């Protein structure tokens, strides 16, 4: 988790995203922006920006690594447990971070189909 927090991957914004979403966890106030560039039905590039806790930043970083090259249908199959595992697990009080990134992903995938 600390590696993804201290050295987050794929941060910032895409110059020309195909899809950009912003989600917020009303309970804790964490906010995540996720942008995707989609080419030929696959995620060619993704970036994130998060205002939140260590776990939220780490999960955003891990998610963008997991998305690289996935088809939209395969991305839809990702589960929050896989994101949590990618950061080395989450304590019960930090599980909300995996929900935040998955909410962002699901919204982005929904918007991509429009």
């Amino acid at each position: 988790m600390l590696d993804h927090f201290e050295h987050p991957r794929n941060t910032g914004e895409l110059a020309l995203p195909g899809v950009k979403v912003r989600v917020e966890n009303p309970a804790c106030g964490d906010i995540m922006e996720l942008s995707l560039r989609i080419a030929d039905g696959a995620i060619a590039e993704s970036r994130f920006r998060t205002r939140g806790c260590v776990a939220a930043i780490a999960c955003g970083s891990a998610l963008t690594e997991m998305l690289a090259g996935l088809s939209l249908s395969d991305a839809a199959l990702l589960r929050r447990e896989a994101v949590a595992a990618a950061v080395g697990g989450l304590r019960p009080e930090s599980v909300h971070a995996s929900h935040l990134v998955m909410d962002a992903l699901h919204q982005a995938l929904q918007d991509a189909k429009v």
Side-chain angles (χ1 to χ4, degrees):
M1 170 142 5
L2 283 180
D3 183 47
H4 275 285
F5 170 71
E6 292 174 348
H7 309 285
R9 285 69 141 177
N10 306 308
T11 59
E13 296 183 31
L14 291 173
L16 298 171
V19 177
K20 182 177 179 182
V21 298
R22 181 181 189 267
V23 296
E24 182 175 348
N25 180 328
C28 69
D30 288 355
I31 298 171
M32 180 177 188
E33 292 178 355
L34 178 66
S35 54
L36 307 176
R37 187 171 57 78
I38 299 164
D40 300 322
I43 299 172
E45 192 174 9
S46 63
R47 294 279 184 272
F48 82 102
R49 290 175 23 156
T50 299
R51 187 183 80 199
C53 64
V54 169
I57 294 167
C59 285
S61 174
L63 175 68
T64 59
E65 285 194 324
M66 297 170 80
L67 291 175
L70 286 182
S71 68
L72 297 179
S73 58
D74 285 343
L77 296 175
L78 284 177
R79 297 290 171 247
R80 67 172 191 78
E81 293 85 1
V83 175
V87 296
L90 294 170
R91 293 181 179 202
E93 63 271 15
S94 297
V95 169
H96 69 278
S98 63
H99 289 280
L100 180 71
V101 300
M102 294 311 294
D103 288 348
L105 175 60
H106 292 146
Q107 182 62 54
L109 293 174
Q110 188 67 29
D111 289 359
K113 293 179 181 176
V114 173

